[in-house]
Amino acid sequence: MQEPTITADLIAAHGLKPDEYDRILSIIGRAPSFTELGIFSAMWNEHCSYKSSKKWLRTLPTDGPQVICGPGENAGVVDIGDGQAVVFKMESHNHPSYIEPHQGAATGIGGILRDVFTMGARPIAAMDSLSFGRPEHPKTPHLVKGVVEGIGAYGNAFGVPNVGGEVRFHRSYDGNCLVNAFAAGLADADGIFYSAASGVGMPVVYLGAKTGRDGVGGATMASAEFDDTIEDKRPTVQVGDPFTEKCLLEACLELMASGAVISIQDMGAAGLTCSAVEMGDKGGLGIRLQLDAVPQRETNMTAYEMMLSESQERMLMVLKPEKEAEARAIFEKWDLDFAIVGETIAEDRFLILHGNDVKADLPLSKLSSSAPEYDRPWIETPAARPCAPLPPIRPVEALRKLIGSPSYAHKGWVWQQYDTQVGADTIRRPGLGAGVVRVHGTRKALAFTADVTPRYVRANPVEGGKQAVAEAFRNLCAVGALPLATTDNLNFGNPEKPEIMGQLVGAIKGIGEACRALDFPIVSGNVSLYNETDGTGILPTPTIGGVGLIDDLSNLIAGLPSEGDIAILIGTTQGHLGQSALAAEAFGIETGDAPPVDLAAERRHGEFIRANRAHLRAATDLSDGGLGLAAFEMAEAAGIGLRLDSDDIAGLYAEDQARYLVACDAEGAAALLRGAEAAGVSAAQVGSFGGVAVQMGEDAGDLADLSRLYRSAFASAIGSDRPDHA
């Protein structure tokens, strides 16, 4: 095949700026081949190189006594005692999911699962943070149905419980939904596998499914804005097979146990290119590949296509040569491909052969660690204008506005399509706060949550970044878990716009401050930029995935309130309604500042909740919708009514931070209030649970009526009873 001539248009189509192309010329001293251009494009795009964010990501806290492996590997690793570790990461599949919702979301799950088991961990939990446009937008119902179906189809078939997450709707996501997938797994703390190659002349082995043309250019596509040519990008979306992935998991874990693995890397973004380069670069070695040996499921594939394919369910490994026969037998048993496709070399070279032709010969180190790094200009987000007083509204009507909105309605329609119980270790399913999964065969459990409030981040990136971390911290504390570490998925618009870059910088500053104050380090993550359509960006959405440890199941807080229980509010209410859910959903008002985050209070109140768990029947943090929404959700889950003493709208629906609502029996309430006074923690009785009404001051509504609205609003908003013809 005649390779295309390198032109300015071809360079631009690969997402490379003229100065970046000039940099390529200076590195290799000649014009690149077509395959080499594709390799540079893949390695230097935003999705793989983090060229706009590296400078700021380095400021995040990543260490702690519990951290075994921080950012830089496929996933983060944290010690959970008894020789065990939890391995976890969150990653975006935003662009593919908008183009082809089912496959885009499905392969997002597949990719994040591979990131976990590449480290030697067996996946035990998944979560998703999903952001969609307005329900009335013509494409939104199609996207919601396709994404949820794709997540369920892949995760259920693979066999991992989906235990938590969040779903929101906002007009800013009309043309660019967000699909952030999280996975966690268990491994022996001394049995973690890393990606750095070692040893010269070691075989480089291709594992898993065959390579096709699906996903070619996927990483570059994910680093570009959308416009009216969006449908043309459909071929860049990968196609996944969860049953092959399950076989790959079992084969990899068996292979790792055999002692054959020197290093291993999943083939994700940029496929064979990125996995080979990262293994070589981390080990200070070169890589030679012979593409004729690559298992292919399509005919006449070019070197360019094989190097940039993002076909799923594939791994790359550096193998101990003496273990070849044993390793091959394992993969043949699982009906997977096993092919030696190259070797490690001493020279700093990435040498790609196809037949007798050299298709690429590049300095390997210049492709990854020497990728461009930008200190982009940024503008600090201006201080938000105060929020005007909200129009009058009765407390129960305010509640109706919230629970009738798909962002705050019951999400059963979503998570009931997921297998939440596979593995039989799920203790707390989605629906209320953090999900909880037992560490199999022990008395320990792990809690998982994903949190961010994008409205806050837009109004005040620093406080919004702090709040996302603080909310994750609270959700873990509310189930009795000690917060261990976080993973972040930073979703923003075009970083070349100083105001957008300012949002990213501010959010990272806030996230870093909160993680340091709460001993809650970032151990893995992902940055997704250029989330824009026709020049309009999404709300800044830096999602925080939090993981916590319950050292003994007796310390779990996962009950529901009972008839006659007392409702106690932990924390101080100032009445902050700026950027609140009530203002947005009841009145369409998105003004004011984000609520301030007192990190010392967050820590103090979280520690108080965990220390006093024996007195609590149930607990939840207060976030969107404040006390009114949290109390209703807690009561409704238990099938009982509630009475809150006040009908003050600010007191009920303010979103002041560092607050929890707990349910206690009379004896527990008395002990908790005494303990709070002794600890200097604000705590007050605010009502009680029971009956068949939802009463706030003198205003009341029927629980059954409100429950029907709450449990039907999501499906109604997306027209789930209508066929999807999009």
Side-chain angles (χ1 to χ4, degrees), residues 629-688:
L629 182 59
F632 171 80
E633 289 175 339
M634 193 183 270
E636 199 272 348
I640 58 177
L642 73 121
R643 179 184 181 96
L644 295 176
D645 299 333
S646 172
D647 60 4
D648 176 62
I649 290 295
L652 289 168
Y653 296 106
E655 295 180 8
D656 302 282
Q657 301 295 295
R659 298 189 300 159
Y660 298 81
L661 177 66
V662 302
C664 310
D665 61 19
E667 185 180 345
L672 189 71
L673 292 169
R674 287 195 302 273
E677 185 177 9
V681 169
S682 175
Q685 182 174 334
V686 291
S688 58

Side-chain angles (χ1 to χ4, degrees), residues 1 5 20 90 110 161 169 171 268 310 329 356 425 462 486 514 551 556 566 602 637 675 689 693 702:
M1 172 187 168
T5 304
E20 291 174 335
M90 183 182 286
F169 296 82
R171 69 177 70 85
E310 294 183 8
N356 294 319
D425 281 318
V462 175
T486 63
D551 59 1
L556 173 69
I566 293 166
E602 294 283 5
F689 293 94
D702 179 64

Side-chain angles (χ1 to χ4, degrees), residues 218-527:
T220 301
M221 172 273 294
S223 303
E225 298 177 29
F226 285 156
D227 54 28
D228 58 8
T229 65
I230 180 65
E231 291 300 321
D232 298 342
K233 297 181 172 71
R234 193 175 296 272
T236 63
V237 178
Q238 313 90 333
V239 177
D241 176 359
F243 300 103
T244 299
E245 179 118 331
K246 177 65 173 173
C247 292
L248 184 62
L249 162 70
E250 299 300 341
C252 282
L253 294 182
E254 192 173 336
L255 180 73
M256 291 164 171
S258 76
V261 178
I262 295 175
S263 65
I264 191 164
Q265 175 79 23
D266 117 85
M267 290 196 221
L272 185 55
T273 291
C274 191
S275 56
V277 168
E278 288 192 359
M279 285 205 307
D281 187 62
K282 289 175 182 175
L285 295 168
I287 300 281
R288 181 184 65 82
L289 296 178
Q290 174 51 258
L291 297 184
D292 299 73
V294 171
Q296 300 159 55
R297 57 177 161 85
E298 299 188 50
T299 58
N300 300 318
M301 289 192 71
T302 64
Y304 179 96
E305 290 169 333
M306 281 187 274
M307 292 305 298
L308 298 185
S309 166
E310 294 183 8
S311 295
Q312 298 292 286
E313 294 83 46
R314 302 181 302 157
M315 299 281 203
L316 201 65
M317 169 183 70
V318 178
L319 171 73
K320 292 177 181 175
E322 68 273 16
K323 295 279 190 176
E324 180 187 340
E326 185 179 353
R328 186 183 296 276
I330 291 169
F331 273 75
E332 287 176 352
K333 179 182 75 172
W334 288 99
D335 199 24
L336 295 167
D337 279 292
F338 178 102
I340 295 175
V341 295
E343 64 177 350
T344 58
I345 56 179
E347 301 90 347
D348 180 20
R349 292 175 77 188
F350 193 37
L351 182 61
I352 311 299
L353 305 173
H354 193 200
N356 294 319
D357 297 328
V358 176
K359 292 297 184 178
D361 189 356
L362 300 169
L364 188 145
S365 63
K366 300 294 184 185
L367 293 168
S368 178
S369 53
S370 300
E373 182 175 334
Y374 296 123
D375 184 6
R376 297 207 184 272
W378 58 280
I379 298 171
E380 190 169 333
T381 302
R385 292 177 298 184
C387 180
L390 299 183
I393 189 169
R394 297 296 299 158
V396 175
E397 180 59 22
L399 180 63
R400 284 183 172 277
K401 292 290 187 182
L402 288 171
I403 63 176
S405 151
S407 289
Y408 302 105
H410 190 268
K411 301 301 190 306
W413 185 91
V414 175
W415 55 259
Q416 284 164 9
Q417 297 184 54
Y418 305 153
D419 190 335
T420 63
Q421 296 291 343
V422 61
D425 281 318
T426 303
I427 296 172
R428 199 178 202 226
R429 299 193 303 169
L432 278 177
V436 182
V437 175
R438 182 188 295 107
V439 177
H440 193 76
T442 77
R443 293 279 301 169
K444 296 185 296 192
L446 289 163
F448 306 101
T449 184
D451 301 286
V452 65
T453 307
R455 293 186 313 276
Y456 296 171
V457 188
R458 178 182 58 186
N460 188 328
V462 175
E463 288 301 309
K466 285 162 62 175
Q467 192 276 338
V469 175
E471 186 176 344
F473 181 88
R474 289 199 302 272
N475 272 321
L476 298 174
C477 292
V479 295
L482 172 69
L484 289 179
T486 63
T487 179
D488 60 353
N489 203 149
L490 308 179
N491 307 273
F492 291 81
N494 184 346
E496 296 169 48
K497 298 177 178 176
E499 62 275 17
I500 301 296
M501 193 66 203
Q503 293 176 342
L504 175 63
V505 171
I508 289 175
K509 287 181 176 180
I511 290 167
E513 185 180 344
C515 288
R516 278 185 286 272
L518 300 174
D519 290 333
F520 205 24
I522 300 262
V523 297
S524 60
N526 171 238
V527 179

Side-chain angles (χ1 to χ4, degrees), residues 123-149:
I124 62 163
M127 290 191 299
D128 312 283
S129 176
L130 310 176
S131 304
F132 298 104
R134 295 163 295 168
E136 60 270 23
H137 187 278
K139 194 155 183 174
T140 297
H142 168 66
L143 289 171
V144 174
K145 295 170 188 175
V147 164
V148 171
E149 182 184 70

